Amino acid sequence: MSESRRPHGRLHVLLGAAPGVGKTVAMLEEGRRLRDLGSDVVVALLETHGRSATAAAVADLEVVERRSVTHRGVTLSELDVEAVLERRPEVALVDELAHTNAPGSEREKRHEDVALLLEAGIDVVTTVNIQHITSLNGVVEQITGVTQRETVPDAVLRDAHQVELVDVAPQTLQGRLSQGLVYPAERVDAALSNYFRLGNLTALRELALLWLADEVDSSLRSYREAHSISSTWQARERVVVAITGGPEGETLLRRGARIAARTAGVSCSPST
């Protein structure tokens, strides 16, 4: 462990469009990468949901035991914040940021637990799905017809040091589901017919990309203001059509123009 520690930890959020995209495995891989670079890393909380691949991915990482909470005769396990603080790692891996803690817990939400770790100077790598972001909750319900009761405030993600999208194509995610890699076999057909319909997954993926793009744009504006940068950068895509003078040239130019028209502000430059 390094001798110096930042006064406030940094939050790294792995964002997914839907369950099963690979956020938890990506979190564990990031933890292993940081450990191999010399950081002191622990798995503070891992949710495998019965997925063998996820359970296997923890492998040689140190795991902090959970605390047990009994509610109405049922024993539940939650993140043991005090145990993590006592262990004082440099990096803690905490799955499912939007989780609601068991009744009787000191704090209602897991993101409140994470805030304490950050305040103690511990970096946190965590996961969340797009449907759990408060501002998008209603939109996701309109898309999927499913009400998400566990949410995390947008401000928590905006204050993160890094938000990274864990992305897979909708068809790939459906394939994982069909293979039983996301839910047990008895739940697959219902999931594919409802929440995991191709149209839903495509819309959720687009929503995740748009939300993240908006956050990047906001960060860029803040950076420009902080550094008194008034001019803008040319960061647009350009369509280049290469023609030889043959009869197919006009068709290629029209095709290039259509591509440019679909992307606002993109220029189409013929090149001979």
Side-chain angles (χ1 to χ4, degrees):
M1 181 186 297
S2 62
E3 293 298 325
S4 61
R5 185 188 294 268
R6 285 184 298 274
H8 194 279
R10 295 189 296 190
L11 181 64
H12 179 179
V13 179
L14 295 165
L15 176 68
V21 297
K23 302 178 304 299
T24 300
V25 171
M27 178 187 74
L28 295 171
E29 290 175 348
E30 175 65 5
R32 189 169 290 105
R33 184 187 72 83
L34 292 171
R35 184 205 58 188
D36 292 346
L37 289 173
S39 294
D40 181 20
V41 180
V42 301
V43 178
L45 191 133
L46 175 68
E47 300 285 8
T48 67
H49 297 290
R51 300 167 190 161
S52 57
T54 303
V58 72
D60 53 346
L61 290 170
E62 179 184 345
V63 179
V64 176
E65 292 296 322
R66 302 185 184 202
R67 64 181 178 87
S68 296
V69 180
T70 301
H71 177 66
R72 295 181 178 177
V74 178
T75 300
L76 306 170
S77 61
E78 297 289 358
L79 170 63
D80 193 335
V81 176
E82 286 68 29
V84 178
L85 291 174
E86 183 177 353
R87 171 61 178 75
R88 287 193 62 77
E90 291 177 296
V91 182
L93 311 182
V94 181
D95 215 358
E96 298 192 357
L97 183 65
H99 172 77
T100 299
N101 291 330
S105 298
E106 187 172 350
R107 289 162 294 278
E108 180 184 2
K109 304 289 292 186
R110 185 166 291 163
H111 69 78
E112 296 172 334
D113 292 337
V114 165
L116 289 182
L117 300 182
L118 295 171
E119 289 171 7
I122 299 171
D123 290 348
V124 175
V125 183
T126 189
T127 65
V128 71
N129 281 325
I130 196 74
Q131 67 263 30
H132 296 299
I133 299 177
T134 300
S135 67
L136 300 179
N137 191 250
V139 178
V140 172
E141 183 176 358
Q142 290 176 0
I143 293 171
T144 65
V146 177
T147 301
Q148 299 291 339
R149 303 195 181 281
E150 293 190 319
T151 60
V152 59
D154 289 57
V156 173
L157 274 69
R158 291 197 192 99
D159 290 342
H161 175 73
Q162 180 179 0
V163 179
E164 177 183 350
L165 182 65
V166 180
D167 185 38
V168 297
Q171 295 87 345
T172 300
L173 182 52
Q174 285 188 323
R176 290 181 182 178
L177 191 67
S178 298
Q179 295 170 39
L181 300 178
V182 180
Y183 293 143
E186 63 272 15
R187 296 179 58 188
V188 169
D189 288 343
L192 285 171
S193 301
N194 294 283
Y195 196 92
F196 285 80
R197 292 198 304 269
L198 185 60
N200 285 359
L201 295 179
T202 301
L204 291 172
R205 186 190 192 198
E206 181 73 12
L207 190 62
L209 290 167
L210 288 172
W211 186 89
L212 195 58
D214 184 62
E215 291 305 303
V216 170
D217 187 57
S218 177
S219 296
L220 182 58
R221 285 197 302 270
S222 298
Y223 178 87
R224 289 175 56 199
E225 291 172 1
H227 293 80
S228 301
I229 300 172
S230 57
S231 59
T232 58
W233 297 289
Q234 289 293 329
R236 302 178 305 173
E237 294 181 352
R238 295 181 181 274
V239 178
V240 178
V241 180
I243 58 177
T244 62
E248 73 283 355
E250 184 177 351
T251 300
L252 290 174
L253 283 172
R254 291 182 183 278
R255 176 61 174 163
R258 285 198 298 271
I259 294 173
R262 285 201 298 266
T263 309
V266 173
S267 61
C268 179
S269 304
S271 176
T272 59

